[in-house]
Structure formats: C-alpha cells, structure tokens
Amino acid sequence: MLTVISKRLTQLVPTLFFVSVLIFGLQHLLPGDPALVMAGEERDPVVIEQIRRQYRLDQPIPVQYLHWVRGVLSGDLGESMRLKEPVLDLVRQKLPVTLQLAVMSMIVALVLGVTLGILSAVYRGRTLDHLVNVVGLAGISTPNFWLGIMMILFFAVELGWLPASGYVSPFEDWRQSLATTIMPAFVLGNSIAGVIMRHTRSAMIQALDSDYVRTARAKGLSEGSVVLKHAMRNALTPVITLGALEFGTLLSGAVLTEQIFSIPGFGKLIVDAVFNRDYAVVQGVVLVTATTYIALNLLADIGYILVNPRLRA
Amino acid sequence: MTDAPADVVLEVEDLAVTFEGPDGRRTRAVDGVGFSVHRGRTLGIVGESGCGKSVTSLAVMGLLPKAGARVSGRVVFDGQDLLAASERTMRDLRGDRLAMIFQEPMTSLNPSYTVGDQIMEVLLRHRSMSRAAARERAIEMLRRVRIPTPEQRFDDYPHRLSGGMRQRVMIAMALACDPGLLIADEPTTALDVTIQAQILELMRGLREETGAAIVLITHDLGVVAEVCDEVVVMYAGQVVERASVGDLFAFPQHPYTVGLLGALPRFDERRDRLSAIEGAVPDMSAPPSGCRFAARCPFRIDRCAELPPLAPVAPGRLSRCWRAPLEALAA
Ligand SMILES: Nc1ncnc2c1ncn2[C@@H]1O[C@H](COP(=O)(O)OP(=O)(O)OP(=O)(O)O)[C@@H](O)[C@H]1O
Ligand code: SF4
Ligand SMILES: [Mg+2]
C-alpha cells in the first residue's frame, strides 16, 4: 500500500514537470500576441510595451517559465491578464462548478453503466442483453453536442421543464442548481455509461462463470445474493479504477458540454483563456487538472487495494 | 443394494442431460444414469474425464445452467423428486440437506470474503440463528475439519490458505447444516498425495459422525477401494457397471472395469491412469448406436453393434455388456 502511494507520488513530480513544459511551450507556439490582444483597438506601442514588461512577455521563454514555476511552488498561479484576477481565485470559483457537474455525471454513468452491465451479463445472449448492448453502443457513439442540443430542444424549448442554459450554485438554491445541471450531467454521464457498461458486463460474465459463484449457488443463496453480493463484489473492482480515470477526464473533457449549456466551469474558463491568449489561466487550469487526474489515479489504486484482500497485507 | 429401502437417501433413475449448443448441436452428456445412495454409506462414481460425472452431480443439485441443459429422469431425495421441484424448493435444500464440494479448491471460495463469513453465510441462510451463534458454529466447523487455530483462520481470506486448507473450508461449509447427502466431486484431485489422504480420512471420520450419505466422484480407483461402499462405473454418459466395492475389485463384470483395474496405478503414476486403456472416448454429440465401449473392447462380438442393457449379472450387481458374466472369459 505505502509502496504504491510513494511510487505514484514520485511519478507525480516528473509528470507535472513534463506537463507544464508542454503547455508552456505549446502555448508560445500559438499565433497571436497576448499583449496585442490586451491592448485592444488602438495598438498604442507604448501601452503594448508596458503590458509586455508587466507580464514579462519581453523575457526569454525559459525565464518566463522559471518565474512561473517559482510562483506555483509558492502557491501563486499568476494573474489573469484579461480578468485582472489571480488565477487561483478563478480556479477556486470554477472548480466547484466543474466538480459538481463531474460528480453528477459520474453518478449518472455509474447508475446506468453498472445496472445495464449487470443486466446484460445476467441475461447474456438473450433479448435483453442484445437490447442493452444496442442502447449502450448508441450511448457511446452519440456525439455529446448533438445529444445536448436535442435535450435542450426537447426538455427546455418544447416541454419547458428545464432551463436551457445557465448555472445556479447549490448553495444558493439546490433545486435550481439540480435543474440547471441535470441535462449536461446526463449528456456527459451517458457517454461514459457505455464504457462502464461494457466493462461491467464482461467482468460480471467472468464472475458469474466462476467457481465461487457455483459455490454460492450450492449454498442455496438467492439469485440476488449470488449476483449482487458474490459476483458483483469481484466484478466491480476493475470498474472502480475505470470510474476514477473517467472522472479525471470529466474534469477536463467537459469543454464542449459546458459551452453548450453555458455552464461557467473549467471548460468555459479554459476556452475563453485560450482565445484571449490568457496564458496564466491556461497554465493554471491545466496544472490543476493534471494534478487532480494524477491524484485520482492514486485514489483509484488505493481503492483497488482496499477492496482486494489479496493486495492488502 | 441390500439395505432396506427406508435407508435410501438418494435414488437416481434414468437421468439424462442434453446440452444444446448455440449452433443447435446436441450433446447427450448423461444418458440413462441410475444409482442409489444409502444413509451413512459412500457411493463412488468412477470413469474417465468427460464421461459425465460432474454433469450427473450438478443435475442432482439442480445447478446445471437453466438455458441450454435439458434434464430428464427422476432424482428422488428424501422421498421428493428434485427434478420436479421448484427452484425455490431447490434453493432451500441446497446448502442445507443437499451439499456439494468441488474439484477446484483454489477457486471455489470467493476471494473477497473471509472464510468465516462464507461459512456463516450458509448458516444464516438456512438456520434462524444470530450472527454470534453462527460465528460460533462456523468456528466449531473449522475445528471439526481439523483446521488449526480456527478462531484466527476465521478472519482469513482464502488466498492465505493452501489448497488443502481451502478444501477443508469447503467441507466445513458443506457440512455446516448437517446435510443428508454430500456430493464430493473429485475433492482431492487437485491436491497432492499426502493432503489427499488427509482429506479422505477427514471425510470418512465426518461421515461416521454425521451419518450423511456421500457420493464421491473420482478418477482414482485407489480412493474408491479405500472409502466407498458401492461403486458406479460410468462410460460415455452411461452406467456400465454397478457393484459393491468388494465385488467390483474381486470380479469386475464389464470389460471397461477390467481395463481400469488392469491399469490400476502404481503409486508413482497417479494421473491419467484411466486413459491407459487404448483408444478414446466416443464423441458424445454423435455416440455409436451399439455398445459405446465397442471401439476399445477386446471382447467385442457381432452382437455388440446393438446397445446392451444394464442387466443383473449376479445378486446385487449390474453390468452393461452382452458377454457378462465375464468369469467364463478369463483366460
Ligand atoms: N455447460 C455445458 N455445456 C455443454 N456441454 C457440457 C457442459 N458441461 C459439460 N459438458 C459436456 O458434458 C460432458 C461430460 O462432462 P463432465 O464435466 O460431466 O465430465 P466429468 O466426468 O466430470 O469429467 P472430469 O473427470 O474431467 O471432471 C463433456 O463432454 C462436456 O464437454
Ligand atoms: S457389449 Fe461387447 S463391446 Fe460392449 S463391453 Fe461387452 S463385449 Fe465389449
Ligand atoms: Mg468433473
């Protein structure tokens, strides 16, 4: 257990270093000059020069990088050129939104994916199995933007049940918050549910064919107990890992969906930042996302060990 | 077969199992098998790999897959026909009156639960007892199967135990509710020789204590000689000979049994001894219409193109061979 954690932690430093160099480097390859963007219409050379100096854009990239790293290590992610706000504050504002969406999407994905996966494994080869597989495949292959737009058209425009876009914090009004996030959560969860369903199905089939499930039946246990206790406990172990990884991608992968539903989360933050050459924000968001992703990996590993008695010791 | 009928715990008559593959191909894995098991006695079922021993025992337990396996005949346990019983009735019997242990001790326990939990589970399922009482009983069962320091083993996960220990746990679990019948499907095949002997000794002791009837499935005629009272010899899904152990070893009445005994192991060659008879088992999806052993039988005659019935050849014994009794043939 400790070795796994320390192994992950030692991976963390070089990974983050690599990621940060990559974003830093790629970003400066992008066409467009942030100072020009900032200066606006007039393009007054004096103003531009001043902005360059203020944000150290006049210095060589490695120097800029070192400066940034020094800031990060002391807990300072820099300042947004556009919004004139510390990046850390922006992250603090937007992360909870994305996190809420990710958690809700994951709940949708797990409930749908695990339930359908178990059903199709139990009824394998029969009509229900085929049906679930078709639905699952459709879920994976439906583009998020299309599903999102269709849901807006149907539930918001046609039926008027849900708001088409916008976001309300659960601390203000949790009902309204749920109403604004349920559609994007379904869209995001749906695409992951298909993957989770397939993994659950194959893991469950393997578990249901196992000798210990035969033993459970030989004990006279009910089918429910055989499936949901004996088989599922073993089958869900790999699904946990998958879930944690998918959760990581939700943090960064919701760009399009957040855009469609106008959810002011990480996705929107980063898109705006990229278009405005707001380097510090892009770097900050990517860094936080990468760190979270790696931390989730670690949590998945720990979870895997905890549910797997052979690895505990 | 000399006991009074009241002593019969399990009576299997004309049991047949047909598997239907996804391609519609049918395999009659078990074809008209019959035997009876008496209280406190052990019946051995012997035969080569693939002759239908496991399928027979799973059919008795009602554990064959619902889809794909067609079962017919009669399986009467304690006066009740199990093949006609509802799934609910079967679930109530399994683990309680009817118990089974398997060939694969390494994989037959659930790796995610402690052995104690797994034994308690069967008690809580069939007996209305508190968790504390079930725990006590589970520990007592571990002690009865001679697992050292059972209080500590109780909380172990299966991966901490050796194959022999896991099989003891399986036995403890099977006997926890005092079953009337224990089916042991090659319980020692996967274990090494000294452990095999210990497990058999244990089963013999437990049979005396509990009075359970035992069906012991095995490849090993040595095991049969040591533990069983009666024997059923199976070949290609059918019973070819039924006799008491003494009679079978003294005067085998079917050429296949003769072959088995002739190929009786020396102690250094324990595996595969049944395949020491020349030739191979017939394909069960297209079995020969005559005697199924004909292709390998040294005593074959023209009449063997017709399937012989399982017929009495001496008091208390049956053989499926046109040329039985075989004494006259001994050269
Ligand atoms: N679920 C199943 N579907 C189709 N065929 C099966 C199934 N289970 C068993 N069979 C077939 O039934 C036949 C008998 O198998 P069985 O497992 O009873 O043999 P066995 O006598 O127990 O052999 P072994 O000594 O190797 O355990 C085999 O030909 C096997 O392929
Ligand atoms: S019936 Fe014929 S072929 Fe079959 S075992 Fe007897 S002698 Fe051999
Ligand atoms: Mg078998």
Side-chain angles (χ1 to χ4, degrees), chain B residues 41-310:
Chain B
R41 311 289 292 270
T42 302
L43 172 88
I45 301 184
V46 240
E48 255 159 313
S49 193
C51 69
K53 306 183 295 293
S54 296
V55 172
T56 301
S57 48
L58 292 173
V60 171
M61 293 290 291
L63 285 175
L64 287 170
K66 301 278 164 301
R70 301 240 321 253
V71 185
S72 64
R74 266 162 53 88
V75 174
V76 181
F77 173 73
D78 272 354
Q80 185 177 16
D81 185 357
L82 300 185
L83 295 186
S86 69
E87 180 53 32
R88 202 197 160 82
T89 309
M90 287 307 290
R91 272 207 298 271
D92 287 343
L93 285 172
R94 278 199 295 266
D96 186 10
R97 306 290 304 133
L98 268 178
M100 180 162 181
I101 57 178
F102 302 95
Q103 191 168 347
E104 304 85 4
M106 299 309 281
T107 50
S108 290
L109 290 165
N110 192 324
S112 296
Y113 295 97
T114 62
V115 299
D117 274 344
Q118 295 185 58
I119 300 173
M120 274 172 66
E121 191 178 31
V122 73
L123 289 162
L124 294 171
R125 162 70 178 86
H126 296 288
R127 297 279 179 271
S128 46
M129 48 166 67
S130 66
R131 289 191 67 84
R135 189 191 156 91
E136 202 128 294
R137 169 86 177 155
I139 290 174
E140 182 204 321
M141 288 312 298
L142 288 173
R143 186 171 297 121
R144 277 175 69 183
V145 296
R146 321 265 193 286
I147 287 183
T149 60
E151 288 85 358
Q152 282 146 45
R153 296 288 102 167
F154 182 92
D155 290 315
D156 271 347
Y157 286 91
H159 70 97
R160 307 268 316 245
L161 305 180
S162 67
M165 282 297 158
R166 289 189 213 187
Q167 199 60 295
R168 284 169 196 261
V169 171
M170 287 294 294
I171 295 173
M173 202 152 77
L175 297 182
C177 292
D178 266 323
L181 176 72
L182 172 66
I183 302 179
D185 188 355
E186 308 198 33
T188 60
T189 305
L191 305 173
D192 64 46
V193 181
T194 44
I195 310 292
Q196 277 186 16
Q198 290 170 11
I199 296 282
L200 289 175
E201 183 51 43
L202 176 69
M203 287 182 54
R204 216 170 7 206
L206 290 172
R207 179 190 57 188
E208 251 128 64
E209 284 172 41
T210 64
I214 297 180
V215 172
L216 179 67
I217 292 171
T218 177
H219 277 116
D220 195 327
L221 282 167
V223 168
V224 171
E226 249 172 83
V227 207
C228 298
D229 304 300
E230 274 125 305
V231 196
V232 165
V233 180
M234 283 183 68
Y235 186 79
Q238 296 181 322
V239 172
V240 292
E241 180 162 6
R242 256 167 81 169
S244 71
V245 164
D247 287 350
L248 188 94
F249 281 88
F251 317 105
Q253 286 299 341
H254 191 280
Y256 177 60
T257 318
V258 173
L260 289 183
L261 291 171
L264 196 61
R266 301 203 313 275
F267 270 93
D268 50 8
E269 308 175 311
R270 294 191 72 101
R271 310 255 152 214
D272 279 356
R273 72 189 57 107
L274 298 194
S275 52
I277 306 172
E278 298 239 329
V281 192
D283 174 9
M284 292 304 289
S285 59
S289 57
C291 172
R292 295 195 173 165
F293 189 57
R296 297 163 81 180
C297 182
F299 304 122
R300 186 180 50 238
I301 50 174
D302 287 349
R303 199 180 179 191
C304 302
E306 211 180 304
L307 183 65
L310 185 64

Side-chain angles (χ1 to χ4, degrees), chain A residues 49-200:
Chain A
E49 204 43 47
Q50 197 219 323
I51 293 173
R52 287 231 163 95
R53 238 195 331 273
Q54 186 188 342
Y55 290 98
R56 293 169 201 270
L57 298 171
D58 52 348
Q59 291 173 14
I61 291 174
V63 175
Q64 290 183 39
Y65 178 75
L66 284 179
H67 180 77
W68 179 71
V69 168
R70 198 177 312 137
V72 169
L73 290 180
S74 63
D76 176 12
L77 292 179
E79 189 191 273
S80 161
M81 288 165 67
R82 190 171 63 101
L83 303 168
K84 304 275 181 287
E85 264 189 82
V87 173
L88 204 58
D89 286 358
L90 289 173
V91 167
R92 273 207 204 106
Q93 287 163 26
K94 309 294 180 185
L95 187 60
V97 179
T98 295
L99 223 48
Q100 183 194 348
L101 195 55
V103 168
M104 287 176 60
S105 311
M106 211 56 219
I107 293 173
V108 171
L110 284 175
V111 169
L112 280 179
V114 170
T115 314
L116 292 180
I118 290 175
L119 277 177
S120 84
V122 169
Y123 293 94
R124 94 184 90 152
R126 299 202 244 157
T127 320
L128 187 62
D129 181 22
H130 298 309
L131 200 73
V132 165
N133 275 295
V134 169
V135 170
L137 190 65
I140 295 177
S141 41
T142 308
N144 281 358
F145 67 87
W146 182 84
L147 184 61
I149 291 167
M150 285 302 139
M151 287 186 78
I152 290 176
L153 285 179
F154 190 69
F155 290 105
V157 179
E158 187 69 31
L159 296 174
W161 289 356
L162 294 166
S165 64
Y167 172 77
V168 175
S169 159
F171 300 107
E172 272 170 45
D173 179 349
W174 68 268
R175 280 164 199 277
Q176 203 51 32
S177 179
L178 211 59
T180 50
T181 45
I182 188 77
M183 282 199 288
F186 185 84
V187 168
L188 288 169
N190 169 70
S191 56
I192 298 175
V195 181
I196 290 186
M197 185 209 96
R198 289 171 162 239
H199 277 258
T200 306

